[in-house]
Amino acid sequence: SSNVMNISEHLSCPLGFGHYNAVDICILETVVIVLLTFLIIAGNLTVIFVFHCAPLLHHYTTSYFIQTMAYADLFVGVSCLVPTLSLLHYSTGVHESLTCQVFGYIISVLKSVSMACLACISVDRYLAITKPLSYNQLVTPCRLRICIILIWIYSCLIFLPAFFGWGKPGYHGDIFEWCATSWLTNAYFTGFIVCLLYAPAAFVICFTYFHIFKICRQHTKEINDRRARFPSHEVDAAGETGHSPDRRYAMVLFRITSVFYVLWLPYIIYFLLESSRVLENPALSFLTTWLAISNSFCNCVIYSLSNSVFRLGLRRLSETICSSC
């Protein structure tokens, strides 16, 4: 059909070896992007509504960062409407270079916010376990709000040079031809992003979670020793009210962080290789890009499956919607 031909001409399909194969690949890419866009928007809207409907979730200080990540991921889904609408309704009146730059900049800023929030969450849990007595004085709602504002400002500033032409902020893919052929990565800018964003965030997360689980393991060992020496209910009750809730919640957040880096690691590796002119493959570019973007939906799934309070809030939200219908 003419619509399929327009899609195939608008996309530079990486995996097509013939005309019909190229059309099939373009349709497959369109389906992937449309599906991810829908899942990201629906999933994060659900998370935001559940947080507003479940007051118990606000007892966790990390709820500030979780909600910030949910809003950032929601905006990722809304931003993905740009390539989605571009594929479904081809328009020659759009300035492709400007659209590509703005889309790449926004996606990079939003994912930077998510990465910084994960690092802040790990620091928050580290303080909760290492300094339980002074935690409430150290981590206050006012300081959390200031921290979130600084995260947004920092994320906007760190990618600003790319928007003015220094380099590519990290968005790859073949949705816009200008993005794939004319907007090239820059090794210096890539190093700049790695040194000021990727590496510090990864170091903070590894450092904090290593010490969190080390402390929890030591605490569990002490409890087992006490049970062996004094097998009484008093010892069990005293031990189980210690770090057990913090440890379980830390495990939930650790799963979210682990999945984030598993999905983003291929993207970061390809980003580094392409910037160094070692590897340039449009198929890998598309796959790693949208694999990384799919993390915006995975956060919702992990949190809903791992957190009992969140599941309770989701059930109440579902019951409210069903009763109103």
Side-chain angles (χ1 to χ4, degrees), residues 36-49 52 65-82 103 106-107 109-111 113-114 152 293-300:
L36 276 179
T37 301
F38 171 77
L39 290 177
I40 290 171
I41 293 176
N44 286 284
L45 279 176
T46 302
V47 171
I48 292 170
F49 284 136
H52 283 291
F65 297 112
I66 295 292
Q67 290 183 79
T68 302
M69 289 175 58
Y71 279 108
D73 290 335
L74 175 63
F75 292 146
V76 168
V78 173
S79 300
C80 289
L81 288 174
V82 174
F103 177 67
I106 291 175
I107 289 290
V109 168
L110 294 174
K111 298 318 296 180
V113 169
S114 295
W152 280 98
I293 291 177
S294 68
N295 175 257
S296 297
F297 171 70
C298 294
N299 289 339
C300 314

Side-chain angles (χ1 to χ4, degrees), residues 134-159:
S134 59
Y135 174 77
N136 290 330
Q137 287 74 34
L138 291 173
V139 182
T140 62
C142 180
R143 290 179 179 177
L144 288 172
R145 294 188 185 97
I146 293 174
C147 182
I148 291 172
I149 292 173
L150 292 177
I151 286 174
W152 280 98
I153 294 174
Y154 183 78
S155 299
C156 291
L157 292 178
I158 194 174
F159 289 102

Side-chain angles (χ1 to χ4, degrees), residues 176-238:
F176 302 102
E177 184 179 357
W178 186 90
C179 217
T181 59
S182 302
W183 198 13
L184 303 178
T185 54
N186 185 296
Y188 294 105
F189 183 71
T190 302
F192 172 77
I193 296 298
V194 169
C195 293
L196 294 184
L197 179 61
Y198 296 155
F203 173 78
V204 168
I205 289 171
C206 292
F207 175 85
T208 52
Y209 278 113
F210 172 79
H211 285 83
I212 286 172
F213 292 119
K214 181 180 177 181
I215 293 169
C216 290
R217 188 166 56 249
Q218 291 175 350
H219 184 75
T220 303
K221 184 180 178 181
E222 291 175 358
I223 293 175
N224 293 332
D225 291 340
R226 290 179 183 178
R227 286 175 178 172
R229 294 179 182 178
F230 311 101
S232 64
H233 296 289
E234 289 80 5
V235 174
D236 291 345

Side-chain angles (χ1 to χ4, degrees), residues 1-11 19-20 23 26-27 30 86-92:
S1 64
S2 59
N3 290 334
V4 172
M5 293 294 294
N6 285 336
I7 292 175
S8 64
E9 291 175 1
H10 188 52
L11 281 170
H19 175 69
Y20 294 102
V23 172
C26 289
I27 294 174
T30 305
S86 177
L87 292 173
L88 297 178
H89 304 284
Y90 183 81
S91 175
T92 56

